[in-house]
Amino acid sequence: MKAVIGLALALLLAACGSMSGLKPAKGESLPVAPYGARATPSATQLLTPSNQARPARSDELLTDSEQRRSDEFDLPPSR
């Protein structure tokens, strides 16, 4: 009995999602264009993270061996 109720709840929760595109609520509009922008961005453009928000990964290995400079703050623990 509990398994049937759990399955029914799982199906109800799975059906809550919407597969249609995002649109502003009725009577609302998209936010105004940012300062300096020529046009108001679309919903897709607003949801796409910028390069600054999601920087590209850098897998470049060290190509040149460089000596580390001395670290004057790397001191042994005091007693």
Side-chain angles (χ1 to χ4, degrees), residues 8-77:
L9 285 174
L11 287 174
L12 286 173
L13 287 175
C16 290
S18 174
M19 298 301 289
S20 63
L22 295 175
K23 297 177 185 171
K26 291 182 182 178
E28 298 290 326
S29 63
L30 288 174
V32 297
Y35 181 75
R38 296 176 187 248
T40 302
S42 68
T44 305
Q45 291 170 331
L46 289 172
L47 290 173
T48 304
S50 67
N51 289 340
Q52 187 174 6
R54 258 186 109 99
R57 183 175 174 185
S58 173
D59 289 336
E60 183 179 338
L61 300 175
L62 255 155
T63 55
D64 296 328
S65 296
E66 297 177 3
Q67 288 288 342
R68 290 187 179 184
R69 62 182 183 89
S70 65
D71 185 4
E72 57 271 2
F73 296 104
D74 188 18
L75 303 173

